[in-house]
Amino acid sequence: CMPEPTYTYTYLEYIQDIEIITTKLKDIQHLHLVAIYRGSLPTTTHLSNLLNCDFSIIKIQTRDGNDDEASFIHNDIKPESNVVVIEDIYDSGKTIRLIKQIMKPYKSVKYLCLYGNKNDDGVEYLREQLGRWIIFPHEITLKELSRHDKHIPEYWKPENN
């Protein structure tokens, strides 16, 4: 069995994507984000701070966990909310389909992922996932990151400290 190819998503790529997403969402009235614990929690928190909006949290983990249903850890969605579910990766669609089950009561729900594949689930994504295991900036140490991200200032690099 061949190991999955990996891709290190650099902080520069991430911050560029955050800029794209904030531009896309900034004019939505009653914006309410939904994070998926744990994958999209860092990204959703970042977006919530930049967009000055509330967010709720759904727990589900299908890749290496045993959960097969979604549940709210925290739900602040109001009837007037325009909900955007933020996910880190859309791969097989299993996670999104489980999330859609508990999002049925809400009238305005969109799905946005950093990485994804062409799909019939209505999920918009910024970058192609292409079957790769994506390593996010918040998942690795500075030493590991400095091997992949050429945009890290010299004074941040571990060998200079």
Side-chain angles (χ1 to χ4, degrees), residues 22 26 31 33 45-55:
T22 54
K26 69 180 168 96
L31 177 63
L33 303 177
T45 302
H46 192 175
L47 289 166
S48 172
N49 288 331
L50 294 175
L51 293 162
N52 193 27
C53 67
D54 290 332
F55 71 95

Side-chain angles (χ1 to χ4, degrees), residues 14 16 30 33 39 62 68 100 103 106 113 117 123 128-130 135 143 145-147 159:
Y14 168 78
Q16 289 169 336
H30 308 291
L33 303 177
T62 56
D68 61 359
K100 282 185 169 191
M103 297 308 294
Y106 308 103
C113 292
N117 300 306
V123 177
E128 291 274 352
Q129 191 254 345
L130 303 172
I135 302 167
K143 184 176 184 177
L145 186 61
S146 67
R147 282 188 292 208
E159 60 270 16

Side-chain angles (χ1 to χ4, degrees), residues 18 23 28 36 49 53 55 61 76 88-89 98 126 155:
I18 290 293
T23 300
I28 297 175
I36 312 308
N49 288 331
C53 67
F55 71 95
Q61 197 170 351
D76 251 353
D88 54 356
I89 298 172
L98 291 170
L126 282 92
Y155 58 85

Side-chain angles (χ1 to χ4, degrees), residues 18 56 82 105 149:
I18 290 293
S56 297
N82 289 304
D149 196 334

Side-chain angles (χ1 to χ4, degrees), residues 8-155:
T8 301
Y9 181 40
T10 67
Y11 188 75
L12 181 63
E13 290 170 323
Y14 168 78
I15 208 71
Q16 289 169 336
D17 290 348
I18 290 293
E19 184 70 24
I20 291 167
I21 295 168
T22 54
T23 300
K24 184 183 294 277
L25 302 181
K26 69 180 168 96
D27 295 326
I28 297 175
Q29 296 292 310
H30 308 291
L31 177 63
H32 189 94
L33 303 177
V34 174
I36 312 308
Y37 177 83
R38 296 178 335 177
S40 72
L41 196 52
T43 303
T44 308
T45 302
H46 192 175
L47 289 166
S48 172
N49 288 331
L50 294 175
L51 293 162
N52 193 27
C53 67
D54 290 332
F55 71 95
S56 297
I57 305 168
I58 291 175
K59 180 182 185 287
I60 187 165
Q61 197 170 351
T62 56
R63 179 106 192 179
D64 54 0
N66 297 318
D67 292 345
D68 61 359
E69 74 176 17
S71 60
F72 279 100
I73 294 175
H74 173 75
N75 185 355
D76 251 353
I77 301 173
K78 314 243 178 328
E80 70 275 8
S81 294
N82 289 304
V83 179
V84 179
V85 176
I86 304 292
E87 177 60 308
D88 54 356
I89 298 172
Y90 174 97
D91 186 16
S92 67
K94 181 178 178 183
T95 300
I96 291 294
R97 286 189 290 277
L98 291 170
I99 291 165
K100 282 185 169 191
Q101 295 303 307
I102 65 168
M103 297 308 294
K104 283 181 180 175
Y106 308 103
K107 62 178 168 53
S108 174
V109 183
K110 293 185 172 146
Y111 299 87
L112 179 60
C113 292
L114 294 172
Y115 279 86
N117 300 306
K118 289 182 177 57
N119 64 85
D120 296 322
D121 289 319
V123 177
E124 186 180 342
Y125 58 91
L126 282 92
R127 296 175 182 268
E128 291 274 352
Q129 191 254 345
L130 303 172
R132 302 172 292 183
W133 183 265
I134 309 298
I135 302 167
F136 288 86
H138 54 268
E139 295 178 314
I140 61 176
T141 66
L142 186 57
K143 184 176 184 177
E144 292 169 316
L145 186 61
S146 67
R147 282 188 292 208
H148 301 282
D149 196 334
K150 306 300 179 233
H151 299 92
I152 293 178
E154 282 301 315
Y155 58 85

